[in-house]
Amino acid sequence: MNFNHLYKSLLILIFLTLLNLPVFSQNVKPLNTLVKETMELRRQGKYWSGLSPFRNYIKDSAQAMIIEFKRYTADSLENIRSLAFDAIAVSGQKAKDLQIRQLAVDILVNGCTDKEAAMRKNIASQLEHFLKPDFTDSSKLKLVSLLKLESSYFQNTVKLIGYLEMDTQAPILKNMLDSGIIKNRTLQWDIHLCLARMGDKTEINYCVDMVRKTGLNDKVIYNLFPDLAYTRSKEAVDYMIEVLNSDLKDCFSTNPDNPVQISCAYRVIEFLAPIIMDFPLKTDKDGELEVDDYEKALTACRKWFKKHLGNYEIDRERF
């Protein structure tokens, strides 16, 4: 074989091999060093990059991320704890391993007793993105223990109890409503929703009737229809399908330059898509609609529900 030809072939082979090798920069820092430096800058009020520098670690080293940031969840500064809990939440949500997801949930549930109300609210909203198996018996008991504290400690987590179908807490929640000890109207409503999610027929009817009597407009659709979806009840879904089939123009388009009246049916599709099994429209991994033509989408949905009105299935595995 010609030497020059062999040499060129060898160079090409080496080049192609190098293309498939991971590139390691001398500037890449170990995770513990990066976390330490980040938190020190955060402490000085000089860090505003969020979790972007940790993108690869979140993807490939979720457990290490959770362990490294856990030590900062008890820090005296709120902005330090905030970044720590966010890092743990995102790492847990992205992890595929159940034990890693459970570890994240357990730490987040512990954070629900944080001294800052805003922090507790943020942590509760992060927990809503986890799946039922991610909550161990231990983390469930911790959520229940919050019910014994002042209401500001459980007002953002009570719907998690309904989502997790912890039916043994139903009498306690009903007593809170009947005794009148809960003065906050938003919390009262959330407890009604929680009991409806547990399958209490009286509470389901109460919630659906309340929304129905309120009427239809953009505010009701955006603020109350997510609550109907949360209950995962057939009665709530049937009412949403009723609105889906209505041509009454009770909502407005989102175009700020030309806010024309439109049917609220277009909005309802967004709330039905994540909770109905085998929904006729494409959604992404988070349940968000992937739709370009809403008129065609509405027609397809109406046709599908007409065919499946008596036998559609509701997905109860997500918040």
Side-chain angles (χ1 to χ4, degrees), residues 197-254:
R197 180 67 180 256
M198 291 179 183
D200 187 309
K201 290 295 182 183
T202 301
E203 295 296 343
I204 289 171
N205 292 333
Y206 174 87
C207 293
V208 175
D209 289 345
M210 180 67 74
V211 177
R212 185 187 287 273
K213 289 174 183 175
T214 305
L216 279 178
N217 55 49
D218 290 299
K219 191 174 287 188
V220 170
I221 292 290
Y222 282 120
N223 293 319
L224 295 180
F225 271 53
D227 290 340
L228 286 181
Y230 162 82
T231 68
R232 296 299 198 278
S233 66
K234 186 178 185 302
E235 293 85 347
V237 173
D238 282 347
Y239 175 56
M240 294 168 79
I241 295 172
E242 182 183 318
V243 176
L244 181 81
N245 287 317
S246 172
D247 289 317
L248 293 176
K249 297 182 177 181
D250 296 313
C251 289
F252 283 87
S253 66
T254 55

Side-chain angles (χ1 to χ4, degrees), residues 11-226:
L11 285 176
I12 291 172
L13 180 62
I14 293 171
F15 176 73
L16 292 174
T17 303
L18 288 173
L19 284 179
N20 292 317
L21 288 175
V23 178
F24 294 98
S25 167
Q26 292 181 342
N27 295 323
V28 174
K29 297 175 182 177
L31 178 59
N32 60 346
T33 301
L34 183 58
V35 172
K36 185 177 180 180
E37 291 178 358
T38 295
M39 288 311 205
E40 185 55 39
L41 288 172
R42 182 91 167 178
R43 197 177 301 280
Q44 298 170 19
K46 299 177 181 178
Y47 182 81
W48 308 102
S49 299
L51 296 174
S52 57
F54 299 93
R55 191 178 296 113
N56 291 332
Y57 288 111
I58 291 170
K59 180 183 175 184
D60 301 323
S61 308
Q63 185 171 7
M65 279 283 291
I66 293 169
I67 291 170
E68 286 298 326
F69 276 99
K70 181 183 177 181
R71 69 191 68 186
Y72 293 97
T73 59
D75 196 274
S76 60
L77 293 183
E78 181 182 356
N79 70 336
I80 296 290
R81 300 197 307 279
S82 176
L83 185 61
F85 281 120
D86 282 347
I88 291 166
V90 173
S91 299
Q93 290 158 9
K94 297 292 184 182
K96 295 180 180 179
D97 185 280
L98 177 61
Q99 289 186 325
I100 296 175
R101 293 175 67 89
Q102 289 177 338
L103 173 63
V105 166
D106 192 61
I107 295 170
L108 292 171
V109 171
N110 284 336
C112 289
T113 55
D114 191 275
K115 61 184 179 181
E116 296 294 338
M119 185 80 68
R120 299 196 296 269
K121 183 176 182 179
N122 181 57
I123 291 170
S125 67
Q126 293 281 17
L127 284 168
E128 293 172 3
H129 295 286
F130 284 88
L131 304 176
K132 287 182 179 180
D134 301 333
F135 293 80
T136 62
D137 289 342
S138 174
S139 60
K140 289 178 183 178
L141 285 174
K142 289 174 185 175
L143 286 174
V144 168
S145 68
L146 297 176
L147 296 177
K148 299 176 182 177
L149 303 178
E150 196 270 324
S151 62
S152 65
Y153 282 90
F154 66 80
Q155 64 184 12
N156 298 305
T157 57
V158 68
K159 286 167 71 176
L160 285 168
I161 290 174
Y163 161 55
L164 297 170
E165 298 177 316
M166 299 164 68
D167 297 358
T168 54
Q169 302 308 307
I172 295 171
L173 294 170
K174 285 183 179 180
N175 183 60
M176 286 182 179
L177 292 175
D178 296 340
S179 66
I181 61 172
I182 302 297
K183 306 299 182 184
N184 184 295
R185 294 185 67 180
T186 299
L187 180 53
Q188 290 174 4
W189 174 242
D190 284 347
I191 293 174
H192 283 296
L193 292 170
C194 176
L195 292 167
R197 180 67 180 256
M198 291 179 183
D200 187 309
K201 290 295 182 183
T202 301
E203 295 296 343
I204 289 171
N205 292 333
Y206 174 87
C207 293
V208 175
D209 289 345
M210 180 67 74
V211 177
R212 185 187 287 273
K213 289 174 183 175
T214 305
L216 279 178
N217 55 49
D218 290 299
K219 191 174 287 188
V220 170
I221 292 290
Y222 282 120
N223 293 319
L224 295 180
F225 271 53

